[in-house]
């Protein structure tokens, strides 16, 4: 199966990750790739309706294309928060049907909704009617004792009938009992073949593959099968991998920045915003992954990044020291 024409907007995505992909993380990622589609961390519908919307939904125009991921199950509330997100300027509204945390389960949203495909269908139908932008779904292949061969087709049938045209599939089950959210990201086995079969059965539905993809080479291989891929932990833990995305996957000029230039841009940004440098630095712990001095960089940021001495100039000083140790060219390795 060849990639579908006209679906390049999801060709490469950085996954929504709770406590990770906040506005500061996304700004760092955008410095590294102009083409990657970025996602917010999941925001619960009730939080948007009753909380600080500027804090929850604020983003920089440089982040486009950027999607808002929401959690919830009530169609009326989902439609309302989707409209709020679209008005805020997000390019896509994504419904989370994959998060396995206890907090998500108690609120009846996230991965537990894999057992309620009609509830999801009602929600996305209401959302789509309320917004001009695309509504998408991110799901697992099943939960707990479900058979993925039965659960995933049933779920996909429901959301496609509701008008969903793009679905992001994390190719693992989620175990709501017995595994922590962290364990759920690695322990359940991947089943790419099932996702491939379901994509072949549904030529009108665009499948974005997520789960276990380690870098540019893996992304490139799967783009011969799917119109898009989504990286999560690899993109976060080794962010400089993103610097190869534009050229390798889009045929576009790369963001011609070294690691040190990225740090300098972040320092300038933090100084202009007058925010603690840690808000950015915590998302850059893996910036020097695989380079000489990587341990020094991570250690200094971890131990001193929230101290009184931590400021934009301090961050640049640390980066200059570490960059001076690098023996290899300061470019992302070709995976």
């Amino acid at each position: 199966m060849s990639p579908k024409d006209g679906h390049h907007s999801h060709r490469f995505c950085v996954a929504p990750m709770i406590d990770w992909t906040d506005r500061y993380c996304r700004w760092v990622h955008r410095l590294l790739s102009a083409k990657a589609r970025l996602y917010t961390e999941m925001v619960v519908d009730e939080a948007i309706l009753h909380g600080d919307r500027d804090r929850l939904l604020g983003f920089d125009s440089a982040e486009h294309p950027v999607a808002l991921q929401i959690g919830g199950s009530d169609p009326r509330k989902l439609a309302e928060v989707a409209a709020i997100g679209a008005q805020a300027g997000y390019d896509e509204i994504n419904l989370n049907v994959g998060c396995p945390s206890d907090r998500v389960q108690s609120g009846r949203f996230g991965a537990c909704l894999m057992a309620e495909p009609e509830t999801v269908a009602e929600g996305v139908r209401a959302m789509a009617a309320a917004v001009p932008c695309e509504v998408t779904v991110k799901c697992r292949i099943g939960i707990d004792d479900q058979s993925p061969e039965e659960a995933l087709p049933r779920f996909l049938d429901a959301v496609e009938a509701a008008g969903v045209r793009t679905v992001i599939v994390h190719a693992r089950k989620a175990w709501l009992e017995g595994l922590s959210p962290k364990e759920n990201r690695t322990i359940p086995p991947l089943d790419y073949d099932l996702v491939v079969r379901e994509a072949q059965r549904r030529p009108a539905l665009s499948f974005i593959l997520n789960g276990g993809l380690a870098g540019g080479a893996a992304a490139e291989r799967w783009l011969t099968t799917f119109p898009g891929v989504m990286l999560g932990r690899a993109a976060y833990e080794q962010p400089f991998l993103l610097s190869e995305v534009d050229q390798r996957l889009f045929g576009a000029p790369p963001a011609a920045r070294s690691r040190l230039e990225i740090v300098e841009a972040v320092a300038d940004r933090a100084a202009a915003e007058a925010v603690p440098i840690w808000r950015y630095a915590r998302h850059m712990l893996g910036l020097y992954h695989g380079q000489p001095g990587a341990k020094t960089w991570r250690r200094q940021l971890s131990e001193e990044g929230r101290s009184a001495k931590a400021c934009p100039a301090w961050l640049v000083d640390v980066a200059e020291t570490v960059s001076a140790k690098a023996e290899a060219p300061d470019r992302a390795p070709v995976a």
Side-chain angles (χ1 to χ4, degrees):
M1 179 179 60
S2 299
K4 303 175 184 65
D5 294 335
H7 288 282
H8 298 300
S9 64
H10 288 86
R11 183 169 175 82
F12 182 88
C13 309
V14 179
M17 292 173 278
I18 293 176
D19 296 328
W20 292 4
T21 52
D22 61 19
R23 70 178 74 178
Y24 306 103
C25 174
R26 297 192 304 270
W27 199 82
V28 172
H29 286 175
R30 183 57 74 217
L31 289 176
L32 291 158
S33 170
K35 298 292 186 180
R37 176 164 287 236
L38 306 179
Y39 284 74
T40 70
E41 53 189 332
M42 183 189 67
V43 188
V44 180
D45 54 6
E46 291 284 353
I48 296 173
L49 292 174
H50 305 295
D52 182 345
R53 292 180 188 173
D54 288 340
R55 179 181 62 83
L56 293 169
L57 300 181
F59 67 95
D60 190 283
S61 60
E63 293 176 37
H64 290 293
V66 59
L68 169 66
Q69 187 185 67
I70 59 178
S73 58
D74 181 291
R76 180 187 60 80
K77 293 178 182 179
L78 289 175
E80 188 174 353
V81 299
I84 292 169
Q87 186 175 14
Y90 284 95
D91 301 295
E92 168 193 340
I93 310 296
N94 177 264
L95 181 63
N96 183 313
V97 191
C99 182
S101 76
D102 292 340
R103 182 172 65 88
V104 165
Q105 293 178 57
S106 64
R108 194 166 164 256
F109 52 92
C112 64
L113 289 177
M114 288 297 299
E116 301 182 50
E118 290 305 324
T119 298
V120 176
E122 291 176 13
V124 295
R125 190 178 290 112
M127 292 162 66
V131 300
C133 59
E134 184 176 17
V135 173
T136 64
V137 173
K138 187 172 188 291
C139 67
R140 294 286 186 128
I141 61 174
I143 56 172
D144 296 334
D145 293 328
Q146 284 184 331
S147 166
E149 290 77 8
E150 297 175 359
L152 184 60
R154 184 166 59 249
F155 180 85
L156 294 172
D157 286 344
V159 297
E160 185 173 18
V164 171
R165 291 294 170 261
T166 301
V167 60
I168 304 159
V169 183
H170 185 160
R172 305 179 197 268
K173 289 178 70 173
W175 286 94
L176 306 183
E177 300 290 339
L179 292 181
S180 69
K182 181 178 180 180
E183 291 169 332
N184 262 299
R185 293 194 291 265
T186 56
I187 292 178
L190 290 156
D191 192 346
Y192 295 138
D193 290 342
L194 173 61
V195 184
V196 170
R197 292 195 299 272
E198 291 306 311
Q200 291 172 337
R201 291 181 55 211
R202 295 173 169 80
L205 189 60
S206 289
F207 283 71
I208 311 305
L209 184 67
N210 173 231
L213 304 181
E220 198 167 30
R221 285 195 301 272
W222 281 112
L223 284 171
T224 62
T225 303
F226 296 100
V229 294
M230 175 178 277
L231 266 66
R233 284 176 297 117
Y236 188 84
E237 294 172 358
Q238 304 175 46
F240 207 66
L241 288 174
L242 297 177
S243 68
E244 69 173 8
V245 164
D246 293 2
Q247 184 172 35
R248 182 168 194 160
L249 302 183
F250 291 88
R257 296 175 183 270
S258 67
R259 290 172 173 83
L260 179 57
E261 288 172 326
I262 294 295
V263 173
E264 290 171 338
V266 166
D268 288 344
R269 172 80 168 187
E273 292 181 325
V275 300
I277 195 65
W278 179 248
R279 291 189 182 178
Y280 286 102
R282 76 185 189 94
H283 301 299
M284 302 167 65
L285 293 173
L287 185 65
Y288 283 85
H289 178 88
Q291 298 291 302
K295 289 183 179 179
T296 299
W297 169 259
R298 179 180 288 273
R299 185 181 67 251
Q300 287 199 245
L301 263 60
S302 298
E303 294 178 355
E304 303 174 10
R306 282 175 279 199
S307 69
K309 68 185 292 185
C311 65
W314 166 84
L315 187 69
V316 173
D317 286 345
V318 177
E320 287 176 341
T321 300
V322 171
S323 293
K325 297 180 179 179
E327 300 173 353
D330 198 11
R331 295 291 172 203
V334 177

